[in-house]
Amino acid sequence: MSDTARRAGRDAAPTADPAPTARRGPVVAALMLGMALAALDSTVVATAVPQIVGDLGGLSVFSWLFSGYLLAVTVTLPVYGKLSDTFGRKPVLICGIALFLVGSVLCAGAWDMAALIAFRIVQGLGGGAIQGTVQTIAADLYPLKERPKIQSRLSAVWALSAVAGPAVGGLLAAYAHWRWIFLVNLPVGALALWLIARHLHEPLRRPSRPARIDWAGALAVFACGGLLLTALVQGGVAWPWLSAPSLGLFFGSAVCAAATVRIERRAAEPIIPGWVWKRRTIAAVNLALGALGLLMVAPTVFLPTYAQSVLGLGPIAAGFVLSVMTLSWPISAALSSHVYRRIGFRQSALVGIGLAALILLAFPLLPFPGEAWQPALIMLLLGAALGLFQLPLIVGVQSTVPWAERGTTTASVLFCRQVGQSLGAALFGAVANATLAARLADAPDALRPGLPDDLDSVSHALEHPGALTGGAADYLRRAVATAVDHVYLGAAAAAALAFVVLLLLAPRRFPVIPDADAAAAPQRD
């Protein structure tokens, strides 16, 4: 059988000729700039927190600078996805970038921590439109066989932003002022706005009936997502898990979830249509990428702590150990098309997540304390495995729906990944804290006088190891190593869960729609 015939027997192949790449250039540049805005803002603030707190105060609530932004991005993704399917991608993306820039100006002028947190939420409202709509336009612009190119570019932008963000934030805070962290968004966003307005042209769509916005469903989604993510982000941090605030938030989110289902079933144009979960392909990808968000907490949150506390590296070197994953991920994603064209989307993702599970299981086998190249090698391999897992699923699921459903589908995938990340931060944080608490409780009597009395004192003790005896410092490092090992075992379990979901729920061949509907995609000039 010929290679062409084999591919035809797998996932359906595109039939339409792609548009000339040169004519797509300005739009692609705008998408990459928009992605850089959203990605940088997730990391650039972190290294400037000391300067921000020193200027505005609010040490006890500064974590909401990140939590508020994350909440706003996550809960708005489904809404923007539906709006982009109803009114087109261009107006949603322009409004999102404009709102993000307004939030940036407001953040730069914040007079206290409460105002800065509120304005970060405004930024997040724009960031939700950017993240979802950029991915959707990328799928609109390119036929199936070319989508890995644009997706790998967007992955590279996200990876570069993740590495460069902390450094840029630190430099601006140290040599200029922390307010410039937000002001530098303005020229980048203005250029992206001009490119989108000038070069992205969508065909005029005349709906058979007037468009109706499900405002009740949108508010219900906001309320449900906001309560749930607040409970996950702040539980175990701002208050105990079994305290009244946590239980109240979880109960409120459950009530809102029931109300959301009831509202959406009755809505003529629901924000989250029932077909998102009734179609096996979309449901399987949603769950699998939710598991990806879950497992990604292990390297992004706990590996830097491991590198500094166990290996004794400085912040820059610890960041490098993590950043090698962002080098192999986009390369693997760009090359994944050669794999899924031969064996299919599901099989490619199964190979990627299967390898990721084995790589994550290898982390607890590292020697103590070990060398920096050992976890760096694991991160390099993990990035390659996850690139082979994520991109085939995103490209595949976007290729199973027509233009009018692509925004909603893409938003549902990103929403599930964000929720998985929030759930992972709460779950793995509880695992690490429980492990550390158990190790401190089981410490030998001879070492206990030199060990911290509670979990909150562990990080301070490791930052100032001179206050510990040699035996106590070594015991505490081993305790941190054991806690991170347990987190990586949990991440491997999340990868195994994604594998099982794809194996049992996803169809062997994704029902790909040929690119015959290319005429419905945005036109380039």
Side-chain angles (χ1 to χ4, degrees):
M1 180 182 292
S2 68
D3 185 65
T4 302
R6 280 198 303 271
R7 287 198 296 269
R10 299 290 181 180
D11 303 297
T15 60
D17 293 328
T21 304
R23 300 171 67 186
R24 291 188 292 236
V27 178
V28 171
L31 297 183
M32 295 175 71
L33 289 172
M35 183 63 75
L37 280 176
L40 273 173
D41 220 67
S42 301
T43 58
V44 73
V45 178
T47 49
V49 165
Q51 288 79 8
I52 295 174
V53 172
D55 194 6
L56 301 181
L59 177 63
S60 61
V61 294
F62 83 89
S63 63
W64 274 99
L65 290 175
F66 310 98
S67 301
Y69 181 83
L70 174 65
L71 290 173
V73 168
T74 304
V75 300
T76 55
L77 278 169
V79 178
Y80 286 128
K82 181 62 178 179
L83 292 177
S84 72
D85 284 342
T86 304
F87 299 104
R89 328 296 192 206
K90 184 175 180 177
V92 173
L93 182 56
I94 287 178
C95 290
I97 295 176
L99 185 58
F100 184 91
L101 296 181
V102 169
S104 297
V105 173
L106 293 174
C107 285
W111 52 89
D112 58 25
M113 184 60 74
L116 183 57
I117 291 171
F119 298 150
R120 283 281 288 170
I121 293 175
V122 175
Q123 272 192 310
L125 295 176
I130 295 172
Q131 287 194 28
T133 312
V134 162
Q135 296 277 4
T136 306
I137 293 176
D140 293 341
L141 285 174
Y142 286 81
L144 175 56
K145 67 180 180 181
E146 291 189 49
R147 281 178 195 156
K149 294 181 181 179
I150 182 61
Q151 290 292 348
S152 63
R153 292 177 188 175
L154 295 177
S155 297
V157 169
W158 194 275
L160 181 62
S161 300
V163 175
V168 172
L171 289 172
L172 290 174
Y175 297 104
H177 196 278
W178 63 263
R179 298 182 189 275
W180 279 99
I181 290 174
F182 303 104
L183 293 176
V184 295
N185 292 331
L186 300 183
V188 178
L191 179 57
L193 275 176
W194 181 81
L195 290 172
I196 290 293
R198 173 68 181 84
H199 295 283
L200 179 61
H201 299 285
E202 295 180 304
L204 181 63
R205 295 180 176 276
R206 301 183 185 276
S208 57
R209 59 180 182 274
R212 300 174 62 183
I213 301 177
D214 179 21
W215 292 115
L219 291 175
V221 170
F222 285 157
C224 179
L227 291 174
L228 176 61
L229 291 177
T230 301
L232 293 174
V233 170
Q234 296 298 311
V237 178
W239 47 70
W241 283 109
L242 297 180
S243 64
S246 280
L247 296 178
L249 286 169
F250 280 120
F251 177 77
S253 64
V255 171
C256 287
T260 301
V261 172
R262 183 180 180 87
I263 291 171
E264 295 298 83
R265 282 180 174 176
R266 295 182 173 184
E269 297 288 343
I271 293 294
I272 304 179
W275 53 259
V276 167
W277 292 103
K278 290 178 181 179
R279 298 179 191 175
R280 290 177 56 197
T281 304
I282 301 176
V285 173
N286 283 342
L287 293 175
L289 289 187
L292 173 64
L294 192 73
L295 72 88
M296 281 300 297
V297 171
T300 57
V301 175
F302 290 94
L303 183 62
T305 299
Y306 176 90
Q308 295 183 65
S309 301
V310 178
L311 301 181
L313 302 178
I316 296 177
F320 175 76
V321 172
L322 173 62
S323 67
V324 294
M325 180 177 67
T326 65
L327 301 177
S328 57
W329 191 318
I331 295 174
S332 173
L335 298 176
S336 65
S337 62
H338 299 289
V339 180
Y340 69 66
R341 285 178 186 173
R342 291 183 175 274
I343 65 175
F345 292 116
R346 189 192 76 156
Q347 285 74 10
S348 298
L350 285 172
V351 171
I353 200 62
L355 291 173
L358 295 176
I359 294 166
L360 290 166
L361 285 174
F363 189 92
L365 302 179
L366 294 178
F368 177 87
E371 302 290 338
W373 66 266
Q374 295 166 337
L377 177 61
I378 285 183
M379 291 303 100
L380 188 70
L381 297 174
L382 182 62
L386 294 179
L388 185 60
F389 165 70
Q390 178 180 258
L391 189 134
L393 290 183
I394 292 179
V395 172
V397 76
Q398 288 179 330
S399 303
T400 64
V401 293
W403 187 96
E405 296 177 351
R406 194 171 289 151
T408 299
T409 300
T410 303
S412 72
V413 168
L414 299 178
F415 175 79
C416 290
R417 189 177 66 184
Q418 293 280 74
V419 171
Q421 186 175 348
S422 300
L423 179 61
L427 178 62
F428 292 147
V431 168
N433 287 339
T435 302
L436 282 173
R439 295 286 290 177
L440 291 176
D442 295 339
D445 293 336
L447 297 178
R448 286 192 180 186
L451 292 175
D453 297 327
D454 53 48
L455 293 176
D456 294 334
S457 304
V458 170
S459 60
H460 178 77
L462 290 172
E463 289 176 1
H464 304 85
L468 300 173
T469 64
D474 182 73
Y475 185 87
L476 197 56
R477 289 192 182 94
R478 288 183 181 273
V480 172
T482 302
V484 177
D485 287 345
H486 289 176
V487 168
Y488 269 80
L489 290 175
L497 176 62
F499 186 94
V500 172
V501 165
L502 290 176
L503 189 65
L504 300 181
L505 186 58
R508 182 176 179 84
R509 300 177 183 176
F510 279 22
V512 172
I513 298 176
D515 291 323
D517 64 336
Q523 302 299 310
R524 285 77 57 184
D525 59 9

